[in-house]
Amino acid sequence: LSELRDIIALQHFLWIDLEDLALKPEERRSEDVFVGTNDHVAEQLLLDATRSGFMVDGQEFDFAKEVRRDNLQSAGSEVELLKRAFCDRVVSAIERCLGEDPPPRLLQAVTTAMSQSGLANLEQACFAPQVAVSGGDQQLKFVLRSLAPEGPWDLELSIRKAGFEQCIVYRHPLGASPTAESMVKDDEDAAPIACSPKSHFSKWCHVRYSVVGPERHVQVDTVSLFREHCLMDRSGRPLPGFAPPSTWPACNCFPPLRAIAARAWGRCLVLLRLARGRAELGKD
């Protein structure tokens, strides 16, 4: 049930983002900005690109690896030019992956998801304590692949943090996970927890974009979602409620059924929110 709850929440946030793209910029809930020749590329993707890893139809893009490989300095005008060229290559690969003439809204939705905006949806959807870490390594990765020339397109988003020796655990806005409740205080009372550098946590999701109907409407479905928190004390013992799972969760069981349920609930939440908004307008 917790997995389905997370999937439904992520589906809702994705629908909100997709619905926003149909609104005028001044009416949108988010502050996402789109740039490029036709304003179809999320600016946030360009801001994040050099700090993330990408795999687009099997082609890897990782600026940090390129810098290490070519023994470049981390600053200077030359590197700034390389960063812009790297962003151009990433965007070009995404555009090729989405086909010869992708709907503008598809390019906007996919490039938004392949940025901090998409990871924020994943973070917010996970009904679990939020963990802030000090130090360590962070890996952000986006994998986009086309299943056919005209779609659909599968997108995987993942974040992994490891090697940190201190963290703060915050209660989820809707309440803490029962298995970790003993570890979590109210946000204002949260204190740093010393932990082993072997500690890590990961969040990953798989979503699918498609274009349907003669009007080429863009559709997005959440296929699966996985989260893992493995926090250990200085002695290497798991902290209560944060032991690693013995096996990878069965998050690929009945994906069509979960996708249908998530889509239905996501649409219900959007319609409910729209109905409330209209009711408020009626009162005015």
Side-chain angles (χ1 to χ4, degrees):
L1 287 179
S2 62
E3 181 202 349
L4 182 58
R5 176 183 56 202
D6 292 349
I7 289 175
I8 290 172
L10 180 58
Q11 181 68 38
H12 173 62
F13 297 138
L14 291 172
W15 269 102
I16 292 294
D17 282 352
L18 201 55
E19 184 191 43
D20 252 14
L21 297 176
L23 303 176
K24 297 178 180 178
E26 63 271 17
E27 297 176 351
R28 293 173 183 167
R29 304 162 195 80
S30 72
E31 298 180 356
D32 290 331
V33 176
F34 297 93
V35 297
T37 305
N38 298 305
D39 293 340
H40 294 163
V41 176
E43 183 182 48
Q44 193 62 51
L45 167 67
L46 305 181
L47 297 174
D48 300 335
T50 57
R51 300 188 298 271
S52 307
F54 301 88
M55 185 73 72
V56 182
D57 270 345
Q59 185 177 6
E60 185 180 25
F61 299 89
D62 190 314
F63 187 75
K65 286 185 179 180
E66 293 182 11
V67 169
R68 291 194 298 269
R69 181 193 64 202
D70 298 334
N71 196 27
L72 300 172
Q73 300 299 318
S74 59
S77 58
E78 181 183 359
V79 171
E80 290 304 314
L81 290 174
L82 291 173
K83 285 182 178 181
R84 286 197 289 270
F86 176 82
C87 291
D88 290 342
R89 286 190 284 122
V90 171
V91 171
S92 295
I94 294 172
E95 291 175 335
R96 288 194 302 271
C97 179
L98 298 182
E100 293 185 5
D101 185 28
R105 199 169 298 170
L106 176 64
L107 185 55
Q108 290 176 325
V110 170
T111 54
T112 298
M114 295 177 72
S115 72
Q116 287 287 351
S117 299
L119 292 174
N121 285 338
L122 175 59
E123 291 272 8
Q124 191 176 0
C126 291
F127 189 90
Q130 300 297 317
V131 181
V133 305
S134 175
D137 300 318
Q138 174 175 276
Q139 295 178 351
L140 309 177
K141 190 166 185 179
F142 304 90
V143 179
L144 176 68
R145 59 182 176 273
S146 58
L147 303 184
E150 297 298 322
W153 299 268
D154 279 0
L155 175 61
E156 297 176 12
L157 298 77
S158 64
I159 178 171
R160 175 182 170 84
K161 296 184 180 182
F164 49 89
E165 299 185 25
Q166 199 173 62
C167 69
I168 299 178
V169 181
Y170 294 94
R171 189 194 307 272
H172 189 281
L174 298 179
S177 168
T179 59
E181 199 164 24
S182 60
M183 288 295 304
V184 183
K185 300 180 180 180
D186 292 335
D187 286 358
E188 59 271 19
D189 296 328
I193 301 172
C195 48
S196 165
K198 294 182 180 180
S199 298
H200 64 271
F201 67 88
S202 305
K203 294 179 183 179
W204 170 92
C205 70
H206 170 195
V207 300
R208 178 167 294 167
Y209 287 91
S210 54
V211 177
V212 297
E215 297 184 0
R216 306 184 75 196
H217 291 298
V218 178
Q219 181 173 291
V220 59
D221 296 302
T222 303
V223 179
S224 54
L225 186 151
F226 165 76
R227 53 179 164 84
E228 174 192 27
H229 288 80
C230 177
L231 302 183
M232 295 179 282
D233 62 21
R234 290 286 175 82
S235 301
R237 295 186 298 263
L239 294 172
F242 291 101
S246 56
T247 59
W248 185 276
C251 52
N252 286 318
C253 297
F254 311 112
L257 178 61
R258 284 207 320 278
I260 291 172
R263 189 190 313 164
W265 276 103
R267 286 178 174 173
C268 287
L269 291 170
V270 169
L271 291 174
L272 178 60
R273 183 175 44 73
L274 288 174
R276 286 176 176 172
R278 289 169 182 165
E280 292 297 326
L281 289 175
K283 291 179 182 179
D284 295 340

